[in-house]
Amino acid sequence: MNQSNDIEALRARLDGTRGREYWRSLEAVAETPEFKEFLHREFPSNASEWLDPVGRRSFLKLMGASLSLAGVSACTRQPIEEIVPYVRQPEELVPGKPLFYATAMPFAGSALGLLVESHEGRPTKIEGNPDHPSSRGATDIYAQAAILGLYDPDRSQTTTNLGEIKPFSAFVEAARAVVSGQGSKQGGGLRILSETVASPTLAAQIEALLKRFPAAKWVQWEPVGRHNAREGSRLAFGEYVEPQYAIEKADVILSLDSDFMCAGPAGVRHSRAFASRRRAETGTARNRLYAVESTPTNTGTRADHRLPLKPSEIDGFARALAAQLGVEGVTAGTVSDAARKWLGPLAKDLQGARGRGVVIVGEGQPAAVHAIGHAINAALGNVGETVTYTQTPEAAPSDQRAGLRELVGEMNAGKVDFLLVLGGNPVYTAPSDLQFGAALHKVKLRAHVGLYEDETAALCQWHIPEAHFLEMWGDARSDDGTVTIVQPLIAPLYNGKSLVEVMAAFSEAGARAGYDLVREHWAAQTGLSTEAVAPAPAPQPAATAPGAPAAPAGVAAAPSQPLSPFDREWRRWLHDGLVPNTAFAPKPVTLQAGFAKAAAPAGQGLEVVFRPDPSVYDGRFANNGWLQELPKALTKLTWDNAALIAPATADRLGLFKGEADEAFASKAPVVELKKGDRTLRVPVWLVPGQAPDTLTLHLGYGRERAGRTGTGTGFNVNVLRTWDSQDVVNGVELVATGDTYQLASTQDHWSLEGRNLVRVATAAEFAADPGFADKRELVADRALTMYKSDWKYEGYAWGMAIDQNVCNGCNACVVACQAENNVPVVGKSQVLNGREMHWLRVDRYFTGELDNPDTYHQPMPCQQCEGAPCEVVCPVAATTHSDEGLNDMVYNRCVGTRYCSNNCPYKVRRFNFLLYQDFDTPSLKLMRNPDVTVRSRGVMEKCTYCVQRINQARVTAKLDDRQIRDGEVVTACQAACPTDAIVFGNINDPESRVAKLKKSPLNYALLAELNTRPRTTYMAVVRNPNVELEPPSASHAEGEEGH
Amino acid sequence: MSQIFDRSANFLSKASLGAVLLLVGGLIGLVMVIGRSSYVTRANEFIEQPIQFSHLHHVGDDGIDCRYCHTSVETSSFAGIPPTKTCMNCHSQLWNQAPILEPVRASFRDDRPLRWVRVHDLPDFVYFNHSIHVKKGMGCETCHGRVDQMPLMRQQNTLQMTWCLDCHRNPEKYVRPRSEVVTMGYKPPVPQSVIGAQLVKEYGIRGNTSCSTCHR
Amino acid sequence: MAAKEHVQDPAEAALLQRTPAVIAPGHTFESVTDSIAGVVLTKRTTLGWFFGFALAFSLLMLLNLTIGKLLMEGIGIWGNNVPVGWAFDIINFVWWIGIGHAGTLISAILLLFRQQWRTSINRFAEAMTLFAVACAAMFPLLHTGRPWLAVYWLFPYPNSMGLWPQFRSPLIWDVFAVSTYGTVSALFWFTGLVPDMATLRDKATSPVAKRIFGMVALGWRGSARHWQRYEMAYLLLAGISTPLVLSVHSVVSFDFAVSVLPGWHATIFPPYFVAGAIYSGFAMVMTLAIPLRKFYGLEDFITMRHIHNMTKVMLATGMIVAYGYANEAFFAWYSANPYEGYMMLNRMTGPYAFFYWSLIAINAAMIQLFWFRSVRDNIPLLFVLSLLVNVGMWLERFIIIVTSLHRDFLPSSWDMYAPTRWDFAMFAGTIGLFFSLFFLFVRFVPAIAIFEMRTIVPEAKLKEHHG
């Protein structure tokens, strides 16, 4: 697709309109054919169906939809509907009541324990598994979005050979032919390329195959794996180990370019651990976080001290610090003055907290820095306290980068007869200089197993649709080693095969059901007998709540029968969602000499950092509309990636003319990045706090075969990513092209305008003035009100408290809300016009100086005001107040005057300007939450505190004659939150956690001066700075600004 | 000059004025009547089902308890439509050759579910929960009528919002003892005006009329 | 004879010296009747009329197209977004309603104040009101994108949901205010027409025309009893519609004043809106009157006297509006409320500053020209100025609505608004509707009240003097 031409055309238009600065928006050109064309190129059919859904829907149908929403009061008849009971209803399944099954999401060589809600056999919502150490009930955005991934209509649906549809059995035969063919040469031509494998069963299968064919090879490749960490541990200890951080025990934490709160599934665990020492309830036991990083991370935004350093400087900083702390074998490197100021106080602080501190090094840092990090922890006596070392969750740790290069070499040399790509998309993700795609052509027979017919599938003769993890039997290890049996929530929608099943095709035994394979593996592991008195039961995933094991909907329940010893265990594992006592035991490690020899290459010129995208990761989620439209924590960009750059650097390079505010609005200049003969055209985006002369590029965009939603979004930065510079590229040349590119950001304005919205104090200031948070400069005396007596809330009064101390902007709540409440995806052009539909947004504000600001995240659901401005202005009473203090929204009553949205000071109401919901795609119908109305066009919608969950709890409580217990109603955002920042409950109950929080001195209401009396209140931020680095006078609490 | 209009014009002009008023009023009235008519509400409408299932026979004659088939009525929002298996519990023995039951046997044989037509069909934006109504002493009969006298199931009431609100606003008019919930043709032993108020208190019934009670 | 008598009348003479007469000298009942009724009956339809009507009608078709697309796709075809939930839709609504005001003011209030000069302009001013209200009424319904709901949910009637509208919502007040206003103006207009329709009936030659005019004339015979009752009815209607002049736009202003938004939440809105309405209304009357008197040679009836008076009214009301602007700025500063303050600052220096200052330039600065007689005498200039005033008042609504919404309390939700081609199409379309109706009106209905004109020709005076 020749996008450049489109951009040319678009730019021509934009130049034409430049004179009219006052329409500072796209609409001036949005209607032009060039732009339409351009957009459609960017978001092919499916996306553009979302953008402009009415294109293919008829007038009458729309009228029909709206009228039926209008209700039967008009002369519209209910359509005839059918009701289809089971033939044999599974026991345990009560129609109308969801079941919850425990499983796990395998992800990048690790896993996250989950509980999945299933309505009559349709998984509709994912929660964390409270019993699982990796989750403790929380999730990350990827787990939340997995539901959409499961029902994605673009997933590959059939086994194909050279594009021809074939049965899986055909592949099995082909596989067996290959295997027998390899017999003679010990499998010398047999290669398996997988992602990092954390599934014991799969690993065992592959090992078995390698045993049969000693000459065969197995290569693992993660584009953003923990390569440096692994090599670092080998440098330091001579073996691959996984550091396990006990962050909750740490008083002083130093993050060296590490986003430990949001990187990978471990982030969930770490976020919670960090928050446990940071929340409003914590009191004075606050920890202190130092972050030294080249690009702002969610972790960095919660740091008490943040030092932006170029990637190349961090190695020097680490060495200097180590030297300062007297770590042997490390000589101080060169450090900038800003950094030098840090060393003393930081070292002192760390030493002061011997055994109660921890240094965490980021994946992007070279192995040596990781080793130094380990050394520092050892020197400070943190090992065994806040850090322990265990074996790695991945079954076969290896130097993946070397492995991949070697494989490509063999492929080019024609040594590879058969390459089996087990998941992953190496053609897209492999470093560009390896030319993986070209090398692939030199392989005689190539098979690809994956969720999508992606770039790699296109170059392989065989493609086998992979089963989504919600469709398959399998197992996975989480970071701490805990094993979870992955059980299916639904039979494969597109008859996909799990990797385990595919591998079985190559075993002697031949193709088998995943269920049997996994069971056998674990039976063997436990050595328990599977010999039941009766024949082994049919596959029976076990329901976790409510109550005992149950068959999945649609599958006939096996009559209860005596269980074998193994099955008794097995059922418990499935029910609990984990295999007990599989967490790794700490293993002793000894520091090797010379771990710090390899110094990082000195940086010169512009340094470019590669990071996985905060939303679509390495591109595997590119076709997930929820993630594409998810505003990235720090940039608030959607549907695109960009080169992140510090404002100062941008000024120096003469990008962005005009005042800062305009610069933050969405029209971004396009630059050309040159390194040798490699060039990349990409728009730049200002990020305060970015290290000077450092660009950050996010992987995962510019996909060519992602699917109808993901294809063509953003820019493929792999162009610049070569094998020897997968983390950082030095000396990149930047040329401003003068073009501009429209980036869809959901928050153009970044400053607080001196408004007292986020309230901050240092620990010292808080101690001195505990009431700082609730100062109400503008609040009128309630005695002045005309309405002397407020409504009394008997029974429940629902309220929410959001703790800004711990929120790191991970966005899990936003996706959770979208999944729970059937919130539609609107597409880029609608986001550009400020029409995104997220009920819950996370506002991001920068304060302090632009080069290294304080960053605050403010989750913004409906505030459920008691004096709600929206209610009085709705002419049809579509939004009214419930007797429990909820601000109800009745979609079917709404006529769409939008007055409520105008009159909402928090602007949390969202309007269906077009028909955003996709009423046609069958798989998406299965996905929706049956407990929430699916809104049609012309309807206002908003957060309801998950009233469907409240009602469910109320009914349950009434059915067994009791009150709703505290913590019984958990909103979707609260459930997902890894930091437990969102607390919901009954504020009429003084014992409830939320009521206690609202009594905290840190509690304050946003815009209290408007007398809206919101039910959602916020906990002011208390920072815990090191006085030596930040003398009290220099502190900046927001309250001081502007008033 | 000659008259343009004859005398009748005087009357016609006045009459037409009245006619216009009548027309407007009539139209509004018509809309309101149709809106409440059984054409729109489908109340008392006979609906073609795959099998001519008779509640009159099963409930009235055989006296089978509602909950034998509608198993989840006390536990779930959805009362539950019996799986074919439930039918076969009896009809594998009784009438197991009856041609009228062939669809049931077929369904059981080829594991293909029966496709009933919904009789009581609320709009998709209305969330009704059977369990709580049963728990609070709302009789099946109150909404579904004398099912035991219906050879073919039909919708007794309009199921319109006003009809729901009538009970939610004054439940004491309809509540009955829990023990009597499934009773057909229930007559309160003491006048409803007395027992109603008592039960409302005893069962702690708050006729909840917040919008979010039924609409989300 | 008549003329002589007339000149000797001292009052008239004095009046003549000071200001131009409301009707050029030398007119008799016949001349008045002929020249006005002639427009409808005898004069051939000019090419200009056809051309103008064609233009207006094509715009009307554009309106149909836009509405069709709107109903099919939803208001997403407009530029509205969150936070700017209202934009062109409500801007145009307020603008049209405002224009409507002059009509009622002229016909009702000036009648009660016995202002003779109203007589020649009230007829088409009222017509203008009707058409403007028709255009205005379209927006509140269409801007929901699903009017079939709005129509029957906004009117309180016992429905099967047991629900009533939210009577606390200003939008409901709008429904009543606007519908009442529409009805009363229509009645007033029609009542005024009855005697003239009779005149036309009697003068018409073709039997068809006779019958049609006859029906509309409701059997008017002009007997003393008719006249006596007629005067009473007309006076009553004037009495009823007088409060409307003030109430309607006050209610419309509540749409904003009742909200919590800085820039909307202001107590001065009702008077300031009413003044603005009359101001824009007279501007529109002027815009219509100047070409009308030119093309149909009605200079004798719509004299410089009228032009002067209308200009003076515009000057007065314009000054009130300007005072309103000053007040907004003052309050913003004096309240020391940061949100109010920022709102004002944003209007003056923000992305939409250009429109704010053009608005000030027109409504505060430019109208000062009306102080000068030379300007008031310069017809072409006045035509341009009155057009500009219409633009200015449209801009005022744009500023009030868009700049207040696009940056309110939380900086995180700030965003920009820009109209799409469909916004403009809708606006142009209503203008098309307005002028289509107006062209039909001047062609088929006497644009000036014949019988009332008769009352001010000297002959009438003569009769009075001689008992």
Side-chain angles (χ1 to χ4, degrees), chain A residues 56-71:
Chain A
R56 63 202 154 72
R57 299 192 175 91
S58 74
F59 183 36
L60 285 177
K61 186 174 160 198
L62 267 183
M63 293 277 272
S66 329
L67 283 168
S68 52
L69 251 186

Side-chain angles (χ1 to χ4, degrees), chain A residues 124-291:
Chain A
T124 58
K125 179 72 174 69
I126 289 179
E127 308 288 4
N129 180 350
D131 303 335
H132 199 288
S134 69
S135 155
R136 294 288 169 228
T139 52
D140 57 14
I141 57 173
Y142 305 120
Q144 285 299 336
I147 283 289
L148 182 55
L150 166 67
Y151 292 108
D152 184 346
D154 291 359
R155 271 172 55 195
S156 71
Q157 315 203 344
T158 50
T159 304
T160 56
N161 180 12
L162 303 166
E164 265 178 64
I165 295 181
K166 286 275 198 297
F168 181 66
S169 55
F171 171 73
V172 175
E173 281 155 29
R176 304 196 70 73
V178 168
V179 170
S180 50
Q182 286 295 322
S184 54
K185 47 186 348 202
Q186 300 282 303
L190 187 55
R191 296 288 181 276
I192 296 173
L193 175 57
S194 73
E195 295 177 289
T196 309
V197 172
S199 158
T201 308
L202 180 59
Q205 283 178 302
I206 299 176
E207 299 292 358
L209 189 73
L210 294 181
K211 214 177 258 98
R212 267 173 71 202
F213 301 105
K217 281 195 195 142
W218 169 30
V219 179
Q220 300 177 75
W221 162 248
E222 276 300 329
V224 282
R226 309 182 198 170
H227 313 311
N228 295 323
R230 293 285 174 264
E231 293 315 305
S233 77
R234 214 167 51 166
L235 267 180
F237 311 118
E239 57 181 329
Y240 288 122
V241 289
E242 169 88 355
Q244 308 277 358
Y245 300 110
I247 294 168
E248 66 280 2
K249 291 196 206 145
D251 297 346
V252 179
I253 306 162
L254 168 62
S255 149
L256 287 172
D257 209 16
S258 162
D259 190 7
F260 62 85
M261 288 195 217
C262 285
V268 175
R269 199 173 85 221
H270 293 154
S271 298
R272 179 143 301 191
F274 178 82
S276 69
R277 296 288 303 277
R278 214 33 193 260
R279 57 184 71 263
E281 294 119 314
T282 306
T284 53
R286 283 184 206 90
N287 55 16
R288 176 173 297 138
L289 172 59
Y290 298 84

Side-chain angles (χ1 to χ4, degrees), chain A residues 10 86 127 159 178 275 278 363 384 412-413 451 549 557 572 615 717 719 750 898 970 1043:
Chain A
L10 171 59
Y86 289 96
E127 308 288 4
T159 304
V178 168
R278 214 33 193 260
E363 304 302 340
N412 284 325
L451 287 167
R572 207 175 85 245
S615 303
V717 301
V719 178
W750 57 274
R898 306 183 298 291
V970 179
H1043 296 296

